[in-house]
């Protein structure tokens, strides 16, 4: 689907005007389930001397996870390079997983870095099976500079482009501070692929998994967008662009439910009539191997200049224009930095950060980049800028894969979002306790009714989705849309309706501070209990935002999940005051300062942020020695995070060492017994492990057994 949006809905009859146009490409949802295209993949792994030790171990570990994900019909080659090149496996099938894994376990390191020769051999492996009905990709992983064989950017990129012309794309992953970001970024752009900066080798596996998840969900490759303005109209693309030899804009692959967006500016004369612009979108469908095309023409009415200026400005267009301007300023800043002009570079980045309409996640990226440069870490700064720029301004690298997909989350990037979860794995006993407690608390809140509650149904759907692949938001949403829920909550119903209409994830959630997201976040922790990754917090935030694009709801979800994460790793139940103190410590700097009302009868005229309310309400209840029941009467017991979060924290404070009493309190005389029961049960299980009386129906016992077998 090719959509056009303009900043205002008319041009002027009297004077020349600039018209900003947002071009959005939304992959259509197939009428029926389409099997993903088989992979024809070459992993090209750097094993030069700089990779010795932990780097090569984690690289091979990431490659092993890719091997384990192969399906019937996939083909995988693995190429190793130092000063020479070795083909470890050639076009291996899924049936050869054991052999491939055994070979990966024996990889050692060598000397220098023949990067081009390694890539070229990977390209030959893929070309040997190239097929338009396959996803043909070379993925290059390196931490160093090319110093053996061809090292020039232009000749390397010429070769990459030639291979791309034969249907083989190239993705590059550089990690650490020693690689040449200009070379890897240029290779990805020339190869119609993606570029990732992996700050630490521990993050390598998640980035590789994101790349493979994108390949599996690709609906269009070799995507090109041609724009032709009317003779009297002048046109310019905003932001840095990459054009092919025919002048068409090169775009990232079209991935299910991940729209591509670009912005252009038209300079239209006064009183212009007829079409202003013609757009032609062309791509190759990987399922059939055929070339498809869409056309769209832009026409706009002309009104008086006075009336035109009265028309509202489209906020989504304004935001994307700000993103494009930011990208241009960032490119200029990096050029200044290369010349040693740090002061001017930082000034340009601060100008970009302060653009009024810039989305919050883009601003957070810039703040991170500015902070890196202010610390004097110019190497990392260059690499972050290269990846950000590749994702947002060139049309490659897929903004939907950059770091973690962000979907314009309406929240600040606080310490929690940038922290790395403890690398220590969580024991199955505690994980089982968390899930069993969630299931049991949900059913206890349901009363005698036999069907599964919404929290349990969505927890099962989430676990099933995560068992099939690493976290991939569209797959998770599809699982939620199919989960059997007897009476869906308003937020779930809205998500399902919008999702079914074919819209992208960031269009799903409403601006509501409801509690629906809180009760379905716990299962997202499960894979991280085995392999902790820094992507955890982004995953929680995204899974919240698709139903609740609201800062208070996002803060609540992240704070609750952080508490659960810490509880899972504790040796004993914490001090009663720990729950509130640490929720505030981790959540406070995520808040944007937006004020909300409280619905509780004792706080009718109160307005403030979630953390402000949690602090004042629980401190007041503690000072007055109120029971949980008394406190809840004042706060309210409805489906609102300003009710659920303090109720949850205060129940744990007062009864956290007595699971039976805590659960009884959670489901008694409350409007949301299922939500509060599920949350309290999950927390109690995370701290104490499963309790003897938490008996579940057979289908949930089976689900727990499958979780144990899959991850533990």
């Amino acid at each position: 689907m090719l959509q056009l949006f303009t900043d205002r809905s008319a041009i002027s009859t009297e004077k020349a005007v600039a018209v900003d146009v947002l071009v959005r490409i939304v992959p259509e949802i197939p009428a029926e389930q389409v099997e993903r295209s088989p992979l024809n993949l070459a992993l090209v792994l750097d094993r030069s001397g700089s990779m010795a030790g932990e780097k090569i171990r984690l690289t091979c570990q990431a490659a092993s996870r890719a091997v384990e994900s192969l399906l019937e019909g996939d083909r995988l080659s693995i190429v190793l390079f130092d000063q020479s090149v070795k083909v470890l496996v050639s076009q291996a099938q899924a049936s050869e997983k054991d052999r491939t894994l055994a070979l990966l376990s024996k990889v050692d390191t060598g000397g220098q870095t023949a990067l081009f020769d390694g890539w070229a051999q990977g390209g030959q492996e893929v070309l040997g099976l190239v097929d338009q009905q396959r996803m043909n990709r070379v993925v290059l992983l390196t931490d160093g500079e090319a110093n053996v064989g061809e090292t020039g950017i232009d000749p390397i990129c010429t070769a990459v482009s030639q291979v791309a012309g034969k249907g083989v794309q190239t993705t590059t992953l550089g990690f650490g501070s020693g690689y040449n970001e200009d070379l890897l970024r240029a290779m990805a752009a020339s190869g119609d692929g993606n570029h990732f900066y992996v700050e630490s080798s521990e993050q390598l596996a998640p980035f590789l998994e994101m790349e493979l998840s994108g390949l599996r969900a690709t609906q269009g490759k070799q995507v090109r967008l041609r724009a032709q303005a009317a003779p009297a109209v002048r046109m310019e693309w905003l932001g840095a662009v990459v054009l092919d030899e025919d002048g068409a804009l090169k775009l990232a692959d079209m991935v299910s439910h991940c729209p591509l967006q670009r912005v252009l500016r038209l300079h239209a004369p006064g009183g212009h009539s007829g079409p202003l612009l013609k757009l032609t979108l062309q791509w190759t469908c990987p399922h059939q191997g055929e070339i498809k095309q869409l056309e769209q023409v832009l026409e706009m009415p002309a009104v008086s200049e006075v009336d035109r200026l009265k028309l509202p400005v489209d906020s989504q267009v304004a935001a994307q224009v700000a993103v494009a301007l930011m990208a241009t300023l960032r490119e200029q800043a990096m050029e200044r930095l290369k010349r040693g002009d740090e002061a001017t570079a930082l000034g340009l980045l601060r100008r970009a950060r302060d653009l009024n309409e810039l989305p919050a996640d883009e601003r957070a990226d810039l703040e991170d980049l500015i902070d890196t440069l202010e610390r004097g870490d110019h190497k990392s700064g260059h690499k972050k800028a290269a990846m950000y720029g590749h994702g947002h301004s060139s049309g490659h690298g897929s903004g939907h894969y950059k770091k973690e997909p962000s979907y314009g989350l309406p929240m600040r990037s606080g310490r929690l979002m940038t922290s790395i979860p403890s690398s220590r794995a969580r024991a199955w006993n505690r994980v089982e306790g968390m899930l069993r407690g969630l299931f049991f608390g949900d059913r206890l809140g349901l009363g005698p009714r036999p069907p599964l509650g919404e929290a349990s149904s969505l927890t099962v759907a989430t676990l099933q989705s995560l068992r099939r692949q690493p976290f991939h938001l569209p797959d998770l949403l599809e699982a939620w849309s199919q989960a059997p829920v007897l009476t869906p909550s308003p937020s779930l119903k809205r998500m399902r309706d919008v999702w079914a209409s074919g819209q992208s994830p960031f269009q799903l959630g409403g601006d509501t501070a409801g509690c629906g997201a809180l009760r379905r976040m716990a299962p997202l922790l499960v894979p991280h209990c085995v392999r902790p990754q820094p992507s955890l917090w982004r995953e929680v935030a995204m899974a919240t935002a698709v139903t609740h694009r609201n800062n208070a709801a996002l803060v609540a979800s992240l704070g609750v999940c952080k508490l659960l994460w810490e509880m899972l790793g504790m040796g004993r139940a914490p001090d009663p005051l720990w729950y509130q103190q640490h929720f505030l410590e981790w959540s406070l700097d995520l808040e944007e300062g937006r004020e909300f009302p409280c619905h509780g009868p004792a706080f009718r005229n109160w307005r403030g942020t979630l953390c402000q309310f949690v602090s004042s309400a629980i401190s007041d209840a503690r000072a007055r020695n109120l029971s949980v029941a008394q406190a809840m009467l004042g706060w309210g017991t409805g489906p609102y995070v300003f009710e659920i979060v303090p109720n949850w924290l205060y129940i744990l404070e007062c009864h956290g060492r007595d699971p039976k009493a805590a659960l009884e309190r959670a489901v008694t005389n409350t409007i949301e017994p299922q939500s509060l029961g599920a949350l309290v049960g999950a927390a109690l299980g995370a701290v104490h492990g499963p309790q003897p009386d938490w008996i579940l129906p057979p289908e949930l016992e089976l689900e727990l057994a499958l979780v144990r077998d899959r991850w533990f």
Side-chain angles (χ1 to χ4, degrees):
M1 188 184 306
L2 187 57
Q3 302 173 335
L4 302 181
F5 306 88
T6 56
D7 56 346
R8 286 189 168 93
S9 57
I11 58 175
S12 173
T13 57
E14 304 157 17
K15 58 182 291 188
V17 295
V19 180
D20 291 331
V21 183
L22 169 61
V23 183
R24 179 179 293 154
I25 301 161
V26 182
E28 294 185 356
I29 300 176
E32 56 186 37
Q33 185 67 33
V34 177
E35 291 187 9
R36 70 165 178 84
S37 300
L39 302 182
N40 177 21
L41 180 68
L43 296 181
V44 180
L45 311 180
D46 186 345
R47 65 161 181 176
S48 60
S50 60
M51 292 286 293
E54 191 75 352
K55 284 185 179 179
I56 194 64
R57 185 185 71 80
L58 291 170
T59 297
C60 290
Q61 187 180 89
S64 296
R65 292 170 68 173
V67 171
E68 290 171 346
S69 70
L70 292 177
L71 300 179
E72 189 66 32
D74 292 341
R75 296 292 184 271
L76 173 67
S77 300
I78 299 178
V79 177
L80 309 175
F81 68 92
D82 48 8
Q83 68 270 18
S84 61
V85 176
K86 176 182 178 181
V87 179
L88 189 69
V89 295
S90 179
Q91 302 172 352
Q93 305 179 46
S95 59
E96 301 174 74
K97 288 182 183 180
D98 290 344
R99 171 178 167 269
T100 304
L101 292 171
L103 290 170
L104 278 169
S105 69
K106 300 175 182 178
V107 172
D108 56 4
T109 53
Q112 295 181 291
T113 309
L115 185 150
F116 174 73
D117 292 342
W119 169 86
Q121 184 61 54
Q124 288 302 310
E125 291 292 322
V126 177
L127 281 170
L129 287 174
V130 70
D131 183 344
Q132 288 294 354
Q133 296 187 36
R134 291 179 177 270
M135 294 301 301
N136 309 289
R137 186 71 57 100
V138 179
V139 180
L140 171 70
L141 301 91
T142 183
D143 76 333
E145 295 258 8
N147 54 26
V148 174
E150 182 60 72
T151 61
I153 292 180
D154 287 344
I156 290 176
C157 287
T158 297
V160 172
S161 180
Q162 289 172 347
V163 171
K166 298 175 183 178
V168 178
Q169 299 169 281
T170 294
T171 283
T172 58
L173 292 90
F175 52 99
S177 60
Y179 74 88
N180 185 336
E181 66 273 8
D182 291 335
L183 172 60
L184 295 195
R185 180 184 180 186
M187 288 178 70
S190 301
D192 274 346
N194 308 307
H195 168 59
F196 302 101
Y197 164 48
V198 186
E199 197 162 1
S200 66
S201 47
E202 290 84 359
Q203 300 171 332
L204 183 58
F207 277 100
L208 181 56
E209 288 171 355
M210 279 189 285
E211 173 72 1
L212 297 184
S213 293
L215 291 177
R216 296 180 184 112
T218 295
Q219 293 191 16
K221 57 185 181 178
Q222 298 167 327
V223 185
R224 300 291 183 268
L225 181 64
R226 292 176 174 80
Q228 183 179 357
V233 178
R234 183 167 63 85
M235 185 204 82
E236 59 179 321
W237 290 106
L238 300 186
V241 297
V242 177
L243 303 176
D244 68 9
E245 60 276 8
D246 299 322
L249 187 67
K250 298 172 71 173
L251 294 172
D253 293 341
M254 293 193 298
V255 177
S256 295
H257 301 292
C258 295
L260 301 173
Q261 299 189 125
R262 297 294 303 169
V263 181
L264 55 84
R265 180 166 288 165
L266 302 176
H267 299 271
H272 179 87
S273 61
L276 291 160
L277 177 72
K278 178 183 177 182
L279 289 170
T280 305
L281 177 70
Q282 185 175 295
W283 72 97
T284 300
C285 178
H287 308 295
Q288 294 88 29
E290 60 182 335
I291 296 175
K292 295 189 175 183
Q293 184 170 295
L294 281 177
E295 291 185 352
Q296 186 74 280
V297 174
L298 175 66
E299 292 190 61
M300 298 177 69
V303 299
S304 71
E305 181 64 6
V306 171
D307 288 340
R308 190 185 75 86
L309 293 175
K310 291 178 181 177
L311 295 171
V313 175
D314 189 314
S315 60
Q316 63 180 337
V317 178
Q320 291 306 310
V321 169
V323 170
L325 295 176
M326 175 272 296
T328 300
L329 289 168
R330 184 184 54 229
E331 293 289 322
Q332 294 172 357
M334 291 303 103
E335 286 299 318
R336 289 286 188 172
L337 197 62
K338 287 177 181 177
R339 301 177 205 167
D341 189 355
E342 182 179 349
T344 302
L346 283 169
L348 289 166
L349 291 172
R350 292 176 184 128
R351 275 178 57 196
R353 178 194 60 190
D354 295 337
L355 291 167
N356 288 333
E357 304 298 333
L358 193 66
D361 61 325
E362 302 287 352
R363 185 171 284 109
D365 284 343
L366 277 174
E367 288 175 347
D368 179 46
L369 179 56
I370 291 167
D371 181 63
T372 300
L373 295 176
E374 287 177 340
R375 295 197 309 268
D377 188 356
H378 291 178
K379 283 186 175 181
S380 295
H382 275 292
K383 288 166 173 59
K384 288 180 179 180
M387 188 181 76
Y388 298 161
H390 198 66
H392 290 290
S393 53
S394 74
H396 293 275
S398 322
H400 39 271
Y401 304 146
K402 174 188 71 67
K403 296 192 296 184
E404 294 296 326
S406 61
Y407 301 101
L409 297 177
M411 66 180 299
R412 296 175 59 182
S413 182
R415 287 177 297 159
L416 175 57
M417 292 296 290
T418 57
S419 71
I420 298 177
S422 165
S423 60
R424 184 166 60 87
R426 271 53 180 161
W428 165 241
N429 176 261
R430 297 296 187 82
V431 176
E432 181 192 2
M434 178 181 70
L435 296 175
R436 187 177 289 274
L438 185 155
F439 289 143
F440 186 79
D442 183 38
R443 292 189 65 79
L444 199 63
L446 266 173
R449 289 177 289 172
L452 296 185
E454 182 173 306
S456 296
S457 289
L458 296 184
T459 294
V460 171
T462 300
L463 293 168
Q464 291 172 346
S465 173
L466 296 174
R467 279 202 299 272
R468 291 193 295 271
Q469 64 275 309
F471 180 89
H472 184 50
L473 186 59
D475 290 331
L476 189 64
L477 294 176
E478 190 63 30
W480 288 349
S481 70
Q482 302 299 322
V485 179
L486 188 63
T487 308
S489 62
S491 61
L492 179 63
K493 189 176 185 305
R494 171 190 164 88
M495 182 235 106
R496 287 177 163 181
D497 290 344
V498 180
W499 181 249
S501 71
Q503 298 189 56
S504 57
F506 65 77
Q507 296 172 296
L508 303 182
D511 185 9
T512 170
C515 70
L518 294 182
R519 59 194 180 195
R520 52 177 164 79
M521 290 297 112
L524 294 178
L525 275 61
V526 173
H528 294 272
C529 291
V530 182
R531 294 192 181 106
Q533 301 290 345
S535 60
L536 170 60
W537 313 123
R538 285 275 177 185
E539 291 168 10
V540 170
M542 286 187 292
T544 300
V546 294
T547 53
H548 297 78
R549 280 182 59 81
N550 175 282
N551 180 248
L554 286 161
V555 170
S557 283
L558 284 160
V560 166
C561 283
K562 176 63 171 175
L563 257 68
L564 289 174
W565 178 260
E566 295 300 323
M567 293 176 205
L568 286 166
M570 288 180 170
R572 57 182 177 82
D575 181 85
L577 302 182
W578 179 88
Y579 302 97
Q580 182 216 16
Q581 290 173 352
H582 285 78
F583 179 89
L584 295 175
E585 176 187 337
W586 293 319
S587 303
L588 193 59
D589 64 349
L590 293 172
E591 293 193 313
E592 293 180 325
R594 180 180 172 186
E595 294 187 343
F596 298 85
C598 177
H599 297 167
F603 294 84
R604 286 284 183 206
N605 299 316
W606 190 94
R607 291 189 66 86
T609 69
L610 175 62
C611 288
Q612 287 171 346
F613 183 74
V614 167
S615 177
S616 61
I618 293 182
S619 297
D620 176 68
R622 196 184 293 142
R624 295 166 60 194
N625 199 29
L626 298 180
S627 69
V628 171
Q630 291 170 326
M632 290 170 66
L633 283 174
W635 303 335
T637 62
Y640 189 44
V641 295
F642 282 75
E643 298 162 302
I644 291 293
V645 171
N647 291 342
W648 181 66
L649 293 171
Y650 201 50
I651 288 172
L652 294 175
E653 177 175 322
C654 296
H655 304 293
R657 297 181 179 178
D658 186 348
K660 185 176 181 180
L663 273 173
E664 286 177 354
R665 183 58 270 168
V667 301
T668 303
N669 296 324
T670 66
I671 298 174
E672 282 289 314
Q674 291 174 253
S675 297
L676 201 50
L679 282 168
V680 170
L684 295 170
V687 171
H688 299 285
Q691 302 299 294
D693 60 333
W694 290 356
I695 307 299
L696 303 174
E699 64 268 31
L700 294 180
E701 293 288 356
L702 175 61
E703 187 58 38
L704 290 174
L706 291 171
V707 171
R708 181 194 62 220
D709 293 345
R710 168 64 177 85
W711 283 292
F712 295 87

